[in-house]
Amino acid sequence: MEKITISKEMAAAVDSYLQYRRIVGEDDGGKLFTPEEYEQYKKKMLPIRQKNRLFVSWTSPTGMDCKLVGPETQCFCTHRYKQHKTDFEDIPKERPIFLPCRVKGCQCKTYLYVPLNGSQPIRCRCKHFADEHHEAEHYSCKKCSSCTEFHSSFTCGCGHPTFTHDTVVETKEERMARGNPVGYDVPYAAMGGLTGFSSLAEGYLRLDPSGTGAPAVDILNAPVNSMDHPYLKTYGGHHDRQALTNGLCSMTEQLSHLKTSEEKDMKYFEHCYQERLKMERIAKRQKQHSKAKSKTK
């Protein structure tokens, strides 16, 4: 495989382009801004994003954000969040806030998240996929006349069906009032609900307030039992940590608790293998020795 190397100047140019694309998004219409236009764009848009950022999430009936929408997250209309209107000089007072799609010819009036089943769209109760429905209001089916509205019973990881969830568009103040994290102010376009790396995980896997939340103190302080991970059995628990600190237990003694029958079997098979190699080497030397004797005679 051919190795590709680039200079520091080329790497810096790639980083600059990625920074440009994160800030500008789709606002340049596919044609790069000139340096002057880029600076004017940043002077205009960055203060707006810091002041009027909108947080978008797909929320369960319990209030948990099962999905935090990012720039590349697809809408029901199959276009991505960054292709919708996400920047407002003045945030609308009406609720909900509509984020229409900016792709030419698309009739999507506002961003609507729809989950995927693996890599495929989910099905409606009419048995047709989500992308086989109209992106206009009510999302009627294109394949059959009996379906007048997209309605899916696909179950989310939180245990609730899709039709019980809502796509929530909220301001920073509204999100903080719900007790959910807002992260830091960033200059990037269409960040939606992303506030950190944990935002990429589904809600039932996140331990921040927007997900399942931190485990209860009783769970954290519970004694280690046989159902816990081997690491916890070795290092977990208050008494074990204290013993390690006081030097009462050596590292070897702790690791010995991790020995399993499989490891013992592997050790046995390795010993047999090494013995076989040893016998083969001895047989090879004896054969060479006997050949040398026959030549001398």
Side-chain angles (χ1 to χ4, degrees), residues 22-66:
R22 292 192 185 103
I23 293 175
V24 175
E26 303 285 323
D27 290 346
D28 59 3
K31 183 180 179 181
L32 293 178
F33 287 148
T34 62
E36 295 78 15
E37 292 173 337
Y38 183 38
E39 291 301 322
Q40 291 178 1
Y41 179 87
K42 289 193 291 184
K43 288 180 180 179
K44 177 183 177 183
M45 299 305 300
L46 299 195
I48 293 176
R49 288 174 185 165
Q50 291 183 354
K51 180 182 178 183
N52 296 334
R53 177 182 171 179
L54 294 176
F55 294 81
V56 184
S57 57
W58 192 59
T59 308
S60 74
T62 61
M64 180 173 66
D65 294 338
C66 294

Side-chain angles (χ1 to χ4, degrees), residues 135-148:
E135 68 271 15
E137 192 175 2
H138 300 309
Y139 312 104
S140 59
C141 185
K142 301 176 183 177
K143 298 285 187 178
C144 60
S145 58
S146 59
C147 178
T148 58

Side-chain angles (χ1 to χ4, degrees), residues 166-210:
D166 292 310
T167 301
V168 177
V169 182
E170 56 191 348
T171 63
K172 182 177 182 179
E173 293 74 18
E174 292 169 343
R175 185 165 179 80
M176 291 176 66
R178 286 209 295 144
N180 291 337
V182 295
Y184 299 99
D185 293 331
V186 292
Y188 305 132
M191 287 300 290
L194 302 185
T195 58
F197 283 111
S198 64
S199 302
L200 302 176
E202 295 187 34
Y204 73 97
L205 297 174
R206 293 196 313 274
L207 300 181
D208 60 25
S210 68

Side-chain angles (χ1 to χ4, degrees), residues 58-162:
W58 192 59
T59 308
S60 74
T62 61
M64 180 173 66
D65 294 338
C66 294
K67 175 68 177 181
L68 294 172
V69 174
E72 302 295 334
T73 309
Q74 282 192 341
C75 172
F76 189 91
C77 68
T78 69
H79 298 122
R80 302 186 185 278
Y81 177 65
K82 66 181 181 180
Q83 296 174 292
H84 291 68
K85 180 176 176 60
T86 59
D87 294 318
F88 291 86
E89 293 187 18
D90 296 306
I91 295 179
K93 296 182 179 180
E94 298 79 12
R95 294 294 183 274
I97 301 174
F98 292 100
L99 307 176
C101 186
R102 298 183 297 173
V103 176
K104 187 176 180 181
C106 184
Q107 300 179 14
C108 175
K109 293 184 178 180
T110 186
Y111 182 87
L112 179 68
Y113 175 76
V114 59
L116 295 175
N117 184 10
S119 61
Q120 292 186 341
I122 60 174
R123 292 181 184 271
C124 175
R125 58 186 169 186
C126 70
K127 307 303 181 184
H128 295 115
F129 289 113
D131 55 5
E132 295 175 326
H133 289 68
H134 292 284
E135 68 271 15
E137 192 175 2
H138 300 309
Y139 312 104
S140 59
C141 185
K142 301 176 183 177
K143 298 285 187 178
C144 60
S145 58
S146 59
C147 178
T148 58
E149 182 181 9
F150 181 80
H151 185 96
S152 176
S153 59
F154 177 81
T155 303
C156 171
C158 69
H160 295 277
T162 299

